[in-house]
Amino acid sequence: MIKTDVLVIGAGPAGSTAAKHAALGGADVILVDKKSEIGAPKRCAEGVSMGGLESLGIKPNPQWITRKIEGVRLVSPNGTSVWLTSDTVELPEAGYILERKVFDKHMAMDAARAGSRIMIKTLARSLQQEDDGYIVNLETMGEEFQIKANIIIAADGPESRVARWAGLNTATKPKDMESAAQFEMVGVEMEDNHCIEFYFGGVAPGGYAWIFPKGDDIANVGLGVLSTKTSKSAYEHLLEFVEDCPATKNAQPVELNIGGDPVGGMPKKLVTDGLMVVGDAAGQVNPLTGGGIISGMTGGMLAGKVAAKAIEDDDTSKERLREYEKLCHESIGKEISKYLKVKDYMLSLSDEELDSIAEAFKDVEFEKISTTELVKKLVKVSPRALLKLGKLF
């Protein structure tokens, strides 16, 4: 049996960040991942904000940045475009487009440099709670073994099983789990390949479609849908979108990614005795954009720091670990709640309302428009849309 202070299950950005900060805090840390290659396959559009990286103390590295993003194009159902730049409004996913297969390895390497031990191709199968922690049953290359840990950090993605094994219910409700499908494509013809694009309405019922540029003619093209809003799969909707969208009709896919994206916000309970949940497993995802790299890494950083202090204090009770829960809700919970309201507002709008709003704002210079003028425009184009917005805030 292997013994450690902290066992992190899942080496995505959130898990690697948790392992890094727990090790920096003096804890003995093991980081395991079921995949043979950390970062692959990607299940992400790969956008992160500049400010988010700065808040985590991460310096941009050309090895894992494919494109700097300077703006956003929002496209309504009838094709009307509204252009926003990072100089005029807050753009949560605008900053850089990553190469996740490189970025994730870099984050795991940072965890290793901080003192974490990494075990790849290692699957956690079950766990048993002990008085002073957990015994986790794992398998690697056909061989079974056990790790005894005082604290477990569950970073095993949106389908997380680890938290459930410990009796913590963090499962996402079906109405809050988007089914997503994405191609990486070549031959994409964007109007501006330094802007990310979002398409709303019937192209992606319950969600939206996106195009995130990675190079001159390379882009991630995908969409997320809610199964409660459509009888088709996300893949079927993606095929239709790619065929109909002017930017992608001549493009070809070189990679396909499919997965779930939890967009219902964070659960209130993120800890139990000797266990914390981070990243997608904890719903640390922007409900509007579906992006969760920075918020998940923020959760991971907080969990790692709290874990190290709890080990130092020799107290791994849920009461002690609730410090992480409190810090999470203070640092990222408010933003997640805000974007959850905006997402609900967007879902409440019909295609006609989306089109009328886009028509009203397509030529607006947002740095010059006041809140009063914004409301006046909404009243003029769609009083019903404004009434819906008012009920949410």
Side-chain angles (χ1 to χ4, degrees):
M1 182 178 299
I2 301 170
K3 294 184 179 180
T4 188
D5 294 328
V6 180
L7 172 63
V8 182
I9 301 176
S16 291
T17 304
K20 170 186 173 181
H21 285 279
L24 288 174
D28 184 21
V29 182
I30 296 177
L31 172 63
V32 303
D33 196 278
K34 65 182 180 181
K35 299 185 292 293
S36 56
E37 180 184 1
I38 292 174
K42 71 183 182 191
R43 292 168 64 179
C44 176
E46 302 181 288
V48 296
S49 66
M50 297 180 194
L53 290 178
E54 290 175 6
S55 70
L56 292 161
I58 299 172
K59 294 182 180 180
N61 188 319
Q63 290 185 354
W64 41 256
I65 291 173
T66 66
R67 177 69 64 175
K68 183 178 180 181
I69 297 301
E70 298 171 353
V72 174
R73 179 189 178 209
L74 307 175
V75 186
S76 75
N78 69 2
T80 302
S81 297
V82 177
W83 294 85
L84 308 173
T85 70
S86 54
D87 295 329
T88 60
V89 294
E90 178 189 10
L91 304 175
E93 305 305 322
Y96 302 109
I97 304 300
L98 306 176
E99 185 59 71
R100 280 288 302 271
K101 294 172 185 176
V102 181
F103 177 77
D104 285 22
K105 287 193 187 76
H106 262 257
M107 295 305 103
M109 291 174 185
D110 275 354
R113 293 185 183 108
S116 301
R117 176 181 175 183
I118 297 176
M119 303 176 71
I120 56 173
K121 197 65 175 175
T122 301
L123 176 66
R125 290 203 168 276
S126 62
L127 59 79
Q128 298 90 42
Q129 189 169 8
E130 301 283 312
D131 291 338
D132 56 348
Y134 293 89
I135 294 177
V136 184
N137 303 299
L138 305 102
E139 179 184 332
T140 181
M141 304 300 289
E143 295 184 3
E144 296 181 357
F145 67 103
Q146 293 181 318
I147 294 177
K148 184 173 182 179
N150 299 106
I151 292 177
I152 291 177
I153 298 178
D156 53 333
E159 303 92 356
S160 176
R161 299 182 300 166
V162 176
R164 293 201 304 275
W165 291 341
L168 189 62
N169 182 17
T170 57
T172 302
K173 297 177 182 177
K175 70 180 184 64
D176 294 324
M177 179 67 81
E178 282 191 353
S179 175
Q182 174 179 268
F183 287 132
E184 183 171 335
M185 307 192 80
V186 64
V188 181
E189 301 168 350
M190 301 180 70
E191 290 194 33
D192 185 337
N193 61 17
H194 284 86
C195 287
I196 54 179
E197 298 185 354
F198 294 100
Y199 295 76
F200 299 94
V203 294
Y208 63 90
W210 64 81
I211 302 178
F212 279 26
K214 296 186 68 173
D216 292 340
D217 67 339
I218 303 167
N220 290 324
V221 181
L223 50 76
V225 300
L226 290 175
S227 60
T228 54
K229 300 285 185 180
T230 177
S231 59
K232 296 180 182 178
S233 69
Y235 179 68
E236 289 173 308
H237 280 287
L238 177 59
L239 291 177
E240 292 175 358
F241 174 73
V242 166
E243 184 177 348
D244 296 338
C245 180
T248 57
K249 61 183 181 181
N250 296 319
Q252 297 186 62
V254 295
E255 183 175 334
L256 170 64
N257 312 112
I258 294 174
D261 197 3
V263 292
M266 277 196 304
K268 290 182 180 180
K269 294 183 179 181
L270 301 173
V271 306
T272 188
D273 290 324
L275 184 139
M276 294 178 279
V277 191
V278 302
D280 285 3
Q284 291 169 345
V285 172
N286 182 318
L288 180 63
T289 68
I293 299 174
I294 296 299
S295 51
M297 292 176 73
T298 301
M301 177 180 67
L302 296 172
K305 289 181 176 181
V306 169
K309 290 179 182 177
I311 292 296
E312 184 179 350
D313 296 342
D314 194 25
D315 182 359
T316 62
S317 66
K318 63 182 175 184
E319 288 76 18
R320 176 65 182 84
L321 300 184
R322 278 188 180 132
E323 179 188 358
Y324 160 68
E325 204 170 71
K326 181 175 180 289
L327 290 170
C328 263
H329 285 291
E330 287 176 352
S331 62
I332 58 178
K334 293 176 182 178
E335 284 289 293
I336 288 174
S337 295
K338 178 180 75 174
Y339 285 115
L340 184 59
K341 291 179 179 179
V342 177
K343 183 201 77 168
D344 290 341
Y345 170 65
M346 295 294 292
L347 286 177
S348 74
L349 299 176
S350 66
D351 283 5
E352 291 75 18
E353 287 169 329
L354 288 168
D355 288 334
S356 64
I357 292 171
E359 288 287 346
F361 291 107
K362 65 180 181 180
D363 298 318
V364 169
E365 296 182 39
F366 278 85
E367 74 274 18
K368 297 180 181 179
I369 191 169
S370 68
T371 302
T372 302
E373 291 172 313
L374 195 67
V375 170
K376 284 181 179 178
K377 277 186 170 290
L378 274 175
V379 169
K380 184 176 180 181
V381 300
S382 180
R384 184 166 169 263
L386 182 62
L387 180 62
K388 290 178 180 178
L389 182 63
K391 288 180 179 179
L392 287 170
F393 292 92

